[in-house]
């Protein structure tokens, strides 16, 4: 897989006293679905801000497609165009008075031709099933709809990598399902996805790789199954096992593993897993 983004020994402290990133070394490649995990204050959000160029590392380097980011205005624009960031709080990200204006904000700042801006708006609306919302005021939309508007605004910039900070926060179960469907569609369309979340059940279903932070340090970077397999790692990171994974482990201890040994990721897979025991 081709590398999109690389952080080499990145360090960042708030107020010169509170280390939020400690020698962070991470590479993100095309086609990946990554869950960034850790407790409150572990450094997940700061990691995203460094990836997107909102924060400049106090030491270390960031590379986009192998090119070192110098933090010139042009380089920062290039980084933010390629690496989109959806914040946890949609209200803090939305700035325009209508959905169409919100989605057009980024492409217009790129000084694209009018026809190209219109094309990107229409495509982003279609991608997020927001057709007919163009003239709606974002502040009157539901939490799930606001999240979709924020994602659409980022998609209009045509990123190759999308970072989502706690995307399921404040969403009801129905909207979490819709969000997962949207992320699956974006992944199928070729966009690499990195999601920061406290929802371990969602992370386990969604991701194929897990990066675990504690105190600003990366303490694990592995297949998502191996992350949740380690009781010592989960205790260190203050995480719990996904419910389906934990239930499958209990069954394994009582009846032995199923024939193929693959752990289930969803309730549907769990049902099949139970049937295969024996």
């Amino acid at each position: 897989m081709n590398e999109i983004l690389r952080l080499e020994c990145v360090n960042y402290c708030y107020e010169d006293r509170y280390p939020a990133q400690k020698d962070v070394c991470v590479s993100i490649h095309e086609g990946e679905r990554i869950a960034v995990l850790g407790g409150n204050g572990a450094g997940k959000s700061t990691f995203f801000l460094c990836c997107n160029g909102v924060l400049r590392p106090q030491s270390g380097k960031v590379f986009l497609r192998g090119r070192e980011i110098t933090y010139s205005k042009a380089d920062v624009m290039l980084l933010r165009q390629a690496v989109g960031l959806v914040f946890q709080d949609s209200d803090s990200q939305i700035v325009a008075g209508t959905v169409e204006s919100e989605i057009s904000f980024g492409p217009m700042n790129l000084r694209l031709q009018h026809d190209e801006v219109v094309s990107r708006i229409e495509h982003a609306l279609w991608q997020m099933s927001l057709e007919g919302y163009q003239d709606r005021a974002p502040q009157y939309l539901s939490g799930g709809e606001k999240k979709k508007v924020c994602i659409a605004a980022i998609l209009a910039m045509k990123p190759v990598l999308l970072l989502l900070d706690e995307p399921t926060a404040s969403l009801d179960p129905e909207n979490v399902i819709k969000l997962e469907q949207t992320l699956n569609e974006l992944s199928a369309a070729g966009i690499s996805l990195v999601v920061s979340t406290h929802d371990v059940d969602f992370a386990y279903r969604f991701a194929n790789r897990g990066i675990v932070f504690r105190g600003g340090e990366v303490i694990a970077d592995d297949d998502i199954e191996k992350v949740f397999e380690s009781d010592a790692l989960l205790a260190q990171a203050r995480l719990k096992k996904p419910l389906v994974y934990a239930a499958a482990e209990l069954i394994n201890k009582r009846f032995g593993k199923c024939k193929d040994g693959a752990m289930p990721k969803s309730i549907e897979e769990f049902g099949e897993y139970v049937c295969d025991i024996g």
Side-chain angles (χ1 to χ4, degrees):
M1 293 185 293
N2 295 324
E3 182 184 80
I4 298 173
L5 191 70
R6 182 168 81 254
L7 279 66
E8 286 189 358
C9 299
V10 163
N11 289 274
Y12 189 87
C13 291
Y14 290 105
E15 300 177 3
D16 296 324
R17 291 183 297 166
Y18 304 107
Q21 299 287 277
K22 299 179 184 177
D23 290 324
V24 171
C25 297
V26 170
S27 293
I28 300 171
H29 301 82
E30 291 178 352
E32 289 199 289
R33 297 159 62 108
I34 302 172
V36 177
L37 304 167
N40 291 331
K44 304 186 300 297
S45 295
T46 305
F47 170 67
F48 275 8
L49 295 174
C50 289
C51 287
N52 178 256
V54 174
L55 294 179
R56 179 175 182 172
Q58 290 153 344
S59 65
K61 298 178 180 180
V62 176
F63 296 84
L64 177 66
R65 299 287 195 189
R67 168 183 169 177
E68 184 178 349
I69 297 299
T70 65
Y71 293 92
S72 65
K73 185 176 180 181
D75 268 13
V76 171
M77 178 64 75
L78 184 67
L79 182 60
R80 292 181 183 172
Q81 185 177 352
V83 182
L85 173 57
V86 179
F87 290 94
Q88 176 178 346
D89 181 10
S90 299
D91 289 322
S92 69
Q93 190 161 2
I94 294 173
V95 296
T98 67
V99 169
E100 182 174 12
S101 297
E102 182 66 26
I103 297 172
S104 69
F105 183 80
M108 289 180 66
N109 279 342
L110 295 177
R111 298 185 179 179
L112 301 174
Q113 294 293 322
H114 175 73
D115 289 348
E116 176 64 16
V117 173
V118 171
S119 175
R120 291 193 180 202
I121 293 171
E122 291 177 348
H123 188 63
L125 288 167
W126 171 78
Q127 282 182 294
M128 299 307 301
S129 300
L130 288 171
E131 300 99 326
Y133 280 71
Q134 291 92 320
D135 298 324
R136 299 276 296 275
Q139 64 265 34
Y140 298 123
L141 300 179
S142 69
E145 289 169 334
K146 288 179 183 178
K147 188 73 70 177
K148 290 170 70 174
V149 171
C150 289
I151 297 174
I154 298 298
L155 293 179
M157 299 286 284
K158 293 192 174 180
V160 293
L161 171 61
L162 187 60
L163 314 173
L164 300 103
D165 194 1
E166 294 290 348
T168 61
S170 302
L171 295 185
D172 59 31
E174 181 180 359
N175 276 304
V176 170
I177 292 172
K178 290 180 180 178
L179 174 66
E180 288 191 51
Q181 291 171 343
T182 297
L183 295 182
N184 287 334
E185 291 166 3
L186 294 178
S187 179
I191 297 176
S192 300
L193 302 170
V194 183
V195 172
S196 167
T197 182
H198 286 107
D199 186 341
V200 293
D201 297 294
F202 165 68
Y204 182 54
R205 288 193 304 270
F206 160 79
N208 50 36
R209 173 182 168 194
I211 299 174
V212 184
F213 277 85
R214 182 178 184 271
E217 296 181 276
V218 174
I219 60 172
D221 184 351
D222 210 333
D223 293 340
I224 195 70
E225 290 87 355
K226 291 184 179 178
V227 167
F228 288 119
E229 184 181 272
S230 174
D231 293 327
L233 171 63
L234 296 179
Q236 184 181 7
R238 293 181 293 164
L239 297 171
K240 64 179 182 179
K241 290 181 186 286
L243 184 59
V244 168
Y245 190 100
E249 278 193 328
L250 289 174
I251 288 177
N252 290 343
K253 290 177 182 177
R254 177 64 178 85
F255 300 103
K257 290 186 177 181
C258 76
K259 296 173 184 177
D260 64 9
M263 296 291 274
K265 282 198 166 187
S266 66
I267 191 65
E268 292 79 14
E269 290 182 7
F270 181 75
E272 296 174 3
Y273 187 85
V274 171
C275 292
D276 288 341
I277 294 293

